[in-house]
């Protein structure tokens, strides 16, 4: 480590940092305090999520219904299997990281290299899974209708199973065409028009007697309220104003817009941490490969980046609980 | 455990922690599995029993999560072998501030819920 420090004549003395009051090096101590402040940032986000959830306690979306996809199992209801898998991947990459630190203590370069590589691969798989999860969330599955008050109305059959808009709505021919730069505002394209109009939905709903409207409200037992056929029709004809498919920062088909906002923000911020963690891991990996730490006589840098990597895992444990389980 | 605090002292006498690492991994996996299974089955009893206005199942999830966080910090981040001063300055600070923040925001969230529910203003129009 001396290689990185200028000689000041105070080496080994108090003001030269020679004593370590907490028994750890400067770098490790600062990593701990960085982690502490970062933990408080994440707590701020998660507590704000808790605030929103308490505020909308009787209309919050049910996570099991939102995150129920699994690769290659199309149309199969698989609540949480995929996030559970992601959690295992991240925990396992934490294990390989701590094994790398352990091997570093024993100055076994080849073992450190192998475990660092496995950690990086785990991180990359996790990031890919996260992207896939976002893709499903953004595209949506069933589609829904939005009311004047900004609430979401979803459609179910008599068994309570969700019905996609595509299953009963057919678009009527219409005159409105999407405007382009040449005939609309010169500087911009118009966003894609919705595939259906609200009138198409209302017509399709009337034509299918087995359809019911499900509102955002939760019953005492934690299920969504399903309206009777008659009040479904009334609700749809009087209140519905637009169609929502998928999710963005303004609206989402799962329910309260805040649910989508917090999902994007918290998992996005966590994903950003994983990304930087992977990048730092790659830098350290090449340093190990080049023998930097072998020459330095200490693999402490692996330990420091390991602390950061475990912290990313630690945050995910909480995100998993509060977004998917509770 | 106490003699591997700094990077310099363990060149010769460092003993491997591999066994402990794997056992912690197994515990973490089992706890996660239990959480996922509970989340899928959702036993009626746990879903409808409340303790301090929170479902019993959510209490279980939160306690298991804190247990996992404890294991990761203590075993993987080697907090167990750090000096008491470091451990306390990190853990106590975080625990105190987070409890404080959660208490304030959840109380306020519940209050806003009550206001929206009982107030004279219509929120859904």
């Amino acid at each position: 480590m001396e290689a990185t420090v200028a000689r000041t004549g105070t080496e080994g003395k108090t003001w030269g940092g020679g004593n370590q009051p907490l028994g750890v090096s400067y770098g490790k101590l600062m990593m701990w305090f960085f982690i502490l402040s970062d933990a408080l940032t994440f707590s701020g986000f998660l507590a704000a999520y808790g605030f929103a959830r308490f505020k909308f306690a009787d209309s919050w979306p049910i996570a099991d219904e939102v995150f129920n996809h699994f690769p290659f199992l199309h149309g199969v209801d698989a609540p949480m299997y995929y996030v559970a898998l992601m959690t295992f991947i991240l925990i396992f990459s934490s294990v390989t990281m701590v094994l790398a630190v352990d091997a570093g203590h024993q100055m076994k370069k080849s073992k450190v290299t192998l475990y660092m590589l496995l950690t990086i691969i785990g991180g990359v798989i996790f990031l890919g899974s996260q992207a896939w999860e976002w893709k499903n969330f953004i595209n949506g599955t069933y589609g829904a209708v939005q009311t004047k008050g900004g609430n979401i109305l979803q459609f179910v059959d008599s068994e309570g199973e969700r019905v996609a808009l595509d299953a009963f709505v057919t678009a009527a021919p219409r005159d409105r065409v999407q405007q382009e730069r040449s005939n609309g505002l010169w500087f911009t394209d118009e966003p894609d028009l919705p595939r259906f109009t609200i009138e198409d939905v209302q017509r399709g709903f009337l034509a299918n007697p087995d359809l019911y409207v499900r509102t955002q409200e939760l019953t005492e037992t934690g299920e969504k309220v399903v309206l009777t056929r008659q009040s479904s029709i009334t609700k749809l004809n009087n209140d519905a104003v637009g169609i929502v498919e998928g999710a963005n920062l303004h609206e989402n088909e799962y329910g309260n817009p805040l649910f989508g906002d917090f999902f994007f923000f918290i998992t996005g911020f966590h994903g950003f941490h994983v990304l930087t963690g992977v990048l730092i891991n790659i830098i350290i990996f090449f340093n190990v490969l080049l023998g930097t730490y072998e020459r330095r006589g200490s693999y402490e840098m692996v330990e420091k980046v390991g602390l950061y990597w475990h912290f990313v895992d630690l945050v995910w444990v909480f995100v998993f609980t509060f977004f998917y389980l509770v | 455990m106490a003699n591997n605090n700094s990077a310099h002292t363990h060149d010769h006498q460092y003993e491997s922690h591999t066994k402990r690492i794997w056992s912690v991994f197994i515990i973490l996996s089992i706890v996660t599995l239990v959480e996922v299974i509970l989340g899928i089955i959702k036993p009626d009893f746990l879903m409808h029993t409340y303790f301090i206005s929170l479902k019993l199942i959510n209490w279980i999830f939160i306690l298991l999560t804190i247990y996992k966080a404890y294991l990761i910090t203590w075993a993987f981040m080697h907090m167990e072998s750090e000096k008491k001063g470091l451990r306390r300055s990190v853990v106590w600070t975080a625990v105190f501030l987070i409890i404080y923040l959660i208490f304030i925001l959840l109380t306020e969230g519940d209050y806003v819920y009550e206001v929206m529910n009982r107030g004279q203003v219509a929120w859904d129009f």
Side-chain angles (χ1 to χ4, degrees), chain A:
Chain A
M1 250 177 307
E2 275 75 4
T4 59
V5 179
R7 298 254 159 212
T8 55
T10 56
E11 291 83 23
K13 301 202 175 85
T14 302
W15 289 103
N19 65 344
Q20 299 178 338
L22 295 171
V24 288
S25 68
Y26 174 80
K28 224 167 125 182
L29 192 64
M30 289 307 118
M31 181 53 92
W32 266 116
F33 286 125
F34 164 72
I35 286 173
L36 175 60
S37 69
D38 218 18
L40 292 174
T41 309
F42 271 108
S43 314
F45 291 156
L46 283 173
Y49 172 80
F51 173 86
R53 236 184 122 149
F54 270 51
K55 179 175 170 185
F56 299 106
D58 56 1
S59 63
W60 201 251
I62 301 169
D64 286 2
E65 296 182 351
V66 180
F67 309 104
N68 57 358
H69 304 273
F70 200 86
F72 311 114
L73 293 179
H74 295 287
V76 178
D77 183 42
M80 293 198 310
Y81 295 179
Y82 195 58
V83 261
L85 182 69
M86 281 166 69
T87 308
F88 275 116
I89 291 166
L90 206 58
I91 289 178
F92 194 73
S93 84
S94 235
V95 171
T96 54
M97 185 78 236
V98 75
L99 287 172
V101 174
D102 198 63
H105 280 302
Q106 301 163 57
M107 303 297 288
K108 289 179 181 158
K109 184 182 157 188
S110 59
K111 267 190 155 178
V112 181
T113 314
L114 172 69
Y115 287 134
M116 285 298 291
L117 185 67
L118 289 176
T119 308
I120 292 166
I121 291 171
V124 170
I125 295 176
F126 181 85
L127 278 175
S129 314
Q130 190 76 276
W132 192 76
E133 188 91 341
W134 273 47
K135 185 215 96 190
N136 288 328
F137 188 75
I138 291 170
N139 287 340
T141 316
Y142 298 104
V145 160
Q146 201 168 27
T147 68
K148 280 180 272 185
N151 290 336
I152 290 294
L153 304 178
Q154 298 165 332
F155 300 99
V156 293
D157 60 19
S158 50
E159 255 109 69
E161 293 289 318
R162 295 283 302 278
V163 178
L165 286 181
D166 284 305
F168 68 95
V169 183
T170 44
R174 52 182 164 164
D175 303 329
R176 176 81 167 78
V177 288
Q178 188 175 357
Q179 300 212 307
E180 289 159 12
R181 279 162 200 262
S182 53
N183 56 4
L185 293 171
W186 63 272
F187 52 83
T188 179
D189 284 320
E190 190 182 24
D192 288 342
L193 292 176
R195 292 182 297 142
F196 322 114
T197 62
I198 190 69
E199 288 78 26
D200 295 334
V201 176
Q202 286 160 346
R203 214 160 8 82
F205 189 82
L206 272 182
N208 287 274
D210 193 37
L211 285 178
Y212 302 86
V213 160
R214 200 174 80 151
T215 66
Q216 271 180 221
E217 256 87 333
L218 290 165
T219 60
E220 287 289 311
T221 52
E223 281 144 21
K224 297 278 177 187
V225 174
V226 179
L227 301 179
T228 61
R229 176 75 186 165
Q230 198 48 49
S231 46
S232 292
I233 294 172
T234 320
K235 186 95 180 155
L236 198 59
N237 287 339
N238 294 340
D239 292 351
V241 287
I243 292 164
V244 186
E245 289 186 293
N248 54 43
L249 288 175
H250 307 294
E251 55 190 19
N252 69 62
E253 65 168 55
Y254 314 102
N256 199 305
L258 275 177
F259 179 77
D261 297 346
F262 276 111
F263 178 77
F264 286 127
F265 207 67
I266 295 179
T267 62
F269 197 61
H270 176 262
F272 177 69
H273 275 73
V274 180
L275 178 70
T276 48
V278 167
L279 291 178
I280 300 169
N281 273 343
I282 288 173
I283 294 171
I284 300 295
F285 172 71
F286 278 111
N287 272 339
V288 172
L289 217 56
L290 292 170
T292 310
Y293 307 126
E294 199 71 31
R295 283 196 297 281
R296 201 178 275 182
S298 152
Y299 278 88
E300 212 204 28
M301 278 310 276
V302 178
E303 215 174 320
K304 286 178 210 161
V305 73
L307 282 179
Y308 182 67
W309 190 252
H310 297 311
F311 169 69
V312 169
D313 183 26
L314 186 70
V315 170
W316 179 255
V317 165
F318 283 94
V319 173
F320 173 65
T321 301
F322 291 114
F323 250 95
Y324 298 92
L325 290 175
V326 169

Side-chain angles (χ1 to χ4, degrees), chain A residues 1 20-24 28-29 32-33 35-36 39-40 43-44 47-48 50-51 54-58 62 64 79-81 84 87-88 91-92 94-95 98-99 101-102 105-107 147-151 217 220-222 235 239 297-298 300 303 306-308 310-311 313-314 317-318 320-322 325-326, chain B residues 4-8 10-11 14-18 21-22 25 28-30 32-33 35-36 39-40 42 47-48 50 53-55 58 61-62 65-66 68-70 72-73 75-79 82-86 89-91 93-94 97-98 101-102 105-110 112-113 116-117 123-125:
Chain A
M1 250 177 307
Q20 299 178 338
L22 295 171
V24 288
K28 224 167 125 182
L29 192 64
W32 266 116
F33 286 125
I35 286 173
L36 175 60
L40 292 174
S43 314
F51 173 86
F54 270 51
K55 179 175 170 185
F56 299 106
D58 56 1
I62 301 169
D64 286 2
M80 293 198 310
Y81 295 179
T87 308
F88 275 116
I91 289 178
F92 194 73
S94 235
V95 171
V98 75
L99 287 172
V101 174
D102 198 63
H105 280 302
Q106 301 163 57
M107 303 297 288
T147 68
K148 280 180 272 185
N151 290 336
E217 256 87 333
E220 287 289 311
T221 52
K235 186 95 180 155
D239 292 351
S298 152
E300 212 204 28
E303 215 174 320
L307 282 179
Y308 182 67
H310 297 311
F311 169 69
D313 183 26
L314 186 70
V317 165
F318 283 94
F320 173 65
T321 301
F322 291 114
L325 290 175
V326 169
Chain B
N4 53 32
N5 288 336
S6 92
H8 306 289
H10 49 67
D11 287 347
Y14 184 84
E15 89 274 23
S16 180
H17 291 148
T18 326
I21 293 167
W22 285 111
F25 170 65
L28 284 175
S29 303
I30 291 171
T32 308
L33 260 181
E35 283 183 337
V36 171
I40 291 171
K42 292 188 175 167
M47 291 294 284
H48 301 134
Y50 284 78
S53 65
L54 202 58
K55 286 174 199 159
N58 288 351
F61 286 147
I62 289 167
T65 304
I66 291 170
K68 282 204 287 190
Y70 160 79
I72 290 171
T73 318
F76 287 177
M77 297 168 97
H78 300 298
M79 206 39 139
E82 300 293 359
K83 282 242 169 33
K84 205 188 273 172
L86 174 60
S89 59
V90 172
V91 177
T93 312
L97 289 175
I98 290 169
L101 184 70
I102 289 172
L105 283 189
L106 294 192
T107 311
E108 185 68 11
D110 192 45
V112 175
Y113 169 79
M116 285 172 73
N117 238 7
W123 295 92
D124 186 15
F125 32 85

